[in-house]
Amino acid sequence: QRKNPFSSEDRLASKPAHTHRGDPTYGRPPEGSRTEQRGRDAHSHVGKEVEELCLVIRRTGQVGEDGRVSVTFGQLFETYVTISNKVVGILLRARKHGLVHFEGEMLWQGKDDGVVITLL
C-alpha cells in the first residue's frame, strides 16, 4: 500500500510510513511539498485578512475613554461583509492572536449586533 496506484511514477507515497506524536514532523506535510506551500500561502492570506479587519475596525469604530477603538458587531458586519463574507472567522482568528476582544464564543448576525468589539 506504500505505492500510489494513481500515480504514473513508480515512487513511494510522500507520507512517511510511521510517525509518532513526539516526532517534530508529526501532523505536518513533507518539507518542500506543494501541500506545505499551500499551507504557507493560506496562512499568509488569512494574516492579510486579519490586518484588513483591524484597519476596518480602526476606520469605522470610535475611540473610547481608554483610547481604544471599539465598534459594534452589527456595524462591523455591515461594513466588512462587502469586503469578505468570512467576517466571523476572521474575528475569531484576530481574537486568538490577541488583536481584538469581544464577549462570547461566537457572534451571530442579528442576535449579536450590539456586541462591542474592541481593537487591542
Side-chain angles (χ1 to χ4, degrees), residues 3-54:
K3 280 185 107 170
N4 184 350
F6 302 105
S7 175
S8 60
E9 299 176 23
D10 285 334
R11 60 185 171 98
L12 295 177
S14 61
K15 194 174 181 182
H18 299 286
T19 56
H20 303 285
R21 285 184 190 253
D23 187 358
T25 62
Y26 179 77
R28 301 207 176 266
E31 211 171 305
S33 68
R34 288 191 292 174
T35 302
E36 181 188 37
Q37 184 59 45
R38 283 190 297 268
R40 274 195 243 134
D41 292 346
H43 183 77
S44 173
H45 178 74
V46 170
K48 289 175 186 172
E49 287 223 18
V50 167
E51 287 177 28
E52 187 174 3
L53 175 74
C54 291

Side-chain angles (χ1 to χ4, degrees), residues 1-119:
Q1 291 281 333
R2 289 195 65 206
K3 280 185 107 170
N4 184 350
F6 302 105
S7 175
S8 60
E9 299 176 23
D10 285 334
R11 60 185 171 98
L12 295 177
S14 61
K15 194 174 181 182
H18 299 286
T19 56
H20 303 285
R21 285 184 190 253
D23 187 358
T25 62
Y26 179 77
R28 301 207 176 266
E31 211 171 305
S33 68
R34 288 191 292 174
T35 302
E36 181 188 37
Q37 184 59 45
R38 283 190 297 268
R40 274 195 243 134
D41 292 346
H43 183 77
S44 173
H45 178 74
V46 170
K48 289 175 186 172
E49 287 223 18
V50 167
E51 287 177 28
E52 187 174 3
L53 175 74
C54 291
L55 290 173
V56 169
I57 292 172
R58 182 170 282 126
R59 192 172 59 240
T60 61
Q62 297 180 353
V63 179
E65 292 177 9
D66 59 356
R68 292 186 174 169
V69 179
S70 296
V71 65
T72 63
F73 176 65
Q75 183 182 4
L76 179 64
F77 189 88
E78 289 301 316
T79 304
Y80 194 74
V81 78
T82 59
I83 300 167
S84 172
N85 60 354
K86 303 174 290 282
V87 65
V88 175
I90 300 300
L91 270 172
L92 292 173
R93 178 64 65 102
R95 179 169 66 178
K96 179 180 176 183
H97 290 286
L99 300 173
V100 298
H101 171 75
F102 57 89
E103 294 296 323
E105 290 295 313
M106 181 66 85
L107 296 173
W108 304 97
Q109 183 185 11
K111 176 185 164 212
D112 294 319
D113 284 351
V115 172
V116 176
I117 299 166
T118 306
L119 189 61

